[in-house]
Amino acid sequence: MKTLMTTDPDEAATFIRGGGIVAFPTETVYGLGANVFDERAVAKIFEAKERPADNPLIAHVGEISQIEELSGGITDDARKLIGAFFPGPLTVVVKRSAKVPLIATAGLETIGIRMPWHELARKFLAACGTPVVAPSANISGRPSPTTWQAVFEDLDGRIDCILQGEATEIGLESTVVDCTGQVPVVLRSGAIGVEDIRQIVPQTEVFAGGETSVLASPGMRHKHYSPRAKVVIVRDASEAAEQGRSAFIGFEIRSAHFDKVEVCASGEEYAHRLFAFFRECDLNKIDVIFCQAVDEKGIGRALMDRLRRAAEA
Ligand code: TXA
Ligand code: MG
């Protein structure tokens, strides 16, 4: 398949309306979208990404009013979080409407919904005229794409179109909150911290793992975010022992003996750069990537979550 490259959201949207699949930028990472109500188009996403069929997709809306056709009723807590954080990097999990095909939710009776604030994403969604389900636009297991070049690297020839925008601002995936139970539960951390969510719904819990995780957020048990290089979390650069070609990402400037170094001024910058750095290390045939640990505050919690998953692989 020939993959069309464009910067025009209207042109990209014609593929969605024709039953195709399109990668597009958001403020978190690039997504790979299809019309949520078109089962055959949704199936193409799973095929192109080599995504396990038991991992549900997030539906992206351009208008708050589109939530109605996706959900079969939302709780007060969900309504409050939507009011506070839409548009933005938050996904709320609610009951799905009967209109949503089960392939999109991987057989679940719930659906994740998110409204990006990214301008090009909003123009694209408006032109699609329908909610668009989209996982991150990478081959499953690889780091999520934060540039169109990363999407191209993984999916050129497998998808209809890439809507080219800038590198994504946040660089980590959205915060996912399950709002179908007694209290909201954060299933995946992201730029919107649990502290922020508790300002709106104080009883919000953070999912702690364990048995029910399989039911709660199927995607979290799959391998994620891994470069080909080995990832090792260190407290500082001096903890990094020489092991072949090595790289370092963190806050320290004294890190001269590495083959590749990324010094970040803040946790936000670290998050913004991480996945692209992983990919650059792979292109540079790096064997080991040393990642400096961060405080688990604000975006730091999401950053440590992604680092641990990458280090596990
Ligand atoms: O920032 C993001 O969320 C990006 C952009 C493109 O919006 N999307 C993204 O999608 O990261 P994906 O598919 O790579 O990750 C979605 C996560 C998975 O862990 C999945 O299991 C979880 O959200 N999820 C989706 N629907 C769910 C549901 N109904 N119940 C529980 N977890 C759900
Ligand atoms: Mg993903």
Side-chain angles (χ1 to χ4, degrees), residues 102-165:
L102 282 168
I103 184 175
T105 67
L108 297 178
E109 288 305 325
T110 59
I111 183 161
I113 304 177
R114 156 164 139 70
M115 181 175 184
W117 74 37
H118 191 277
E119 209 181 304
L120 192 53
R122 302 285 297 272
K123 285 188 180 147
F124 169 69
L125 290 170
C128 291
T130 174
V132 168
V133 271
S136 50
N138 53 291
I139 297 281
S140 280
R142 300 266 297 137
S144 293
T146 56
T147 61
W148 67 258
Q149 288 91 342
V151 178
F152 183 85
E153 191 179 297
D154 278 15
L155 299 177
D156 180 41
R158 293 174 173 239
I159 64 178
D160 295 291
C161 174
I162 297 176
L163 176 58
Q164 298 166 290

Side-chain angles (χ1 to χ4, degrees), residues 28-29 58 89 91 136 141-144 170-176 186-192 220 223-227 231-233 270-272 274-275 278 291 294 296 298-313:
T28 56
V29 300
I58 294 170
T91 297
S136 50
R142 300 266 297 137
S144 293
I170 294 169
L172 301 180
E173 306 82 351
S174 64
T175 307
V176 179
V186 175
L187 301 178
R188 179 174 74 182
S189 50
I192 296 187
M220 301 309 276
K223 189 170 170 254
H224 264 91
Y225 320 116
S226 344
V231 171
V232 178
I233 302 172
Y270 197 156
H272 170 74
L274 182 69
F275 289 151
F278 279 174
C291 301
V294 300
E296 299 203 37
I299 191 106
R301 184 192 284 264
L303 202 40
M304 284 307 291
D305 168 71
R306 305 309 190 273
L307 290 179
R308 287 198 191 99
R309 284 170 200 285
E312 252 170 39

Side-chain angles (χ1 to χ4, degrees), residues 185-239:
V185 181
V186 175
L187 301 178
R188 179 174 74 182
S189 50
I192 296 187
V194 63
E195 307 88 346
D196 307 316
I197 294 170
R198 284 190 180 135
Q199 295 275 319
I200 308 299
V201 184
Q203 313 90 298
T204 302
E205 287 173 7
V206 176
F207 187 71
E211 280 300 300
T212 55
S213 64
V214 173
L215 298 170
S217 191
M220 301 309 276
R221 73 174 183 277
H222 295 296
K223 189 170 170 254
H224 264 91
Y225 320 116
S226 344
R228 291 184 192 92
K230 184 176 169 201
V231 171
V232 178
I233 302 172
V234 292
R235 287 177 47 157
D236 55 55
S238 69
E239 248 183 52

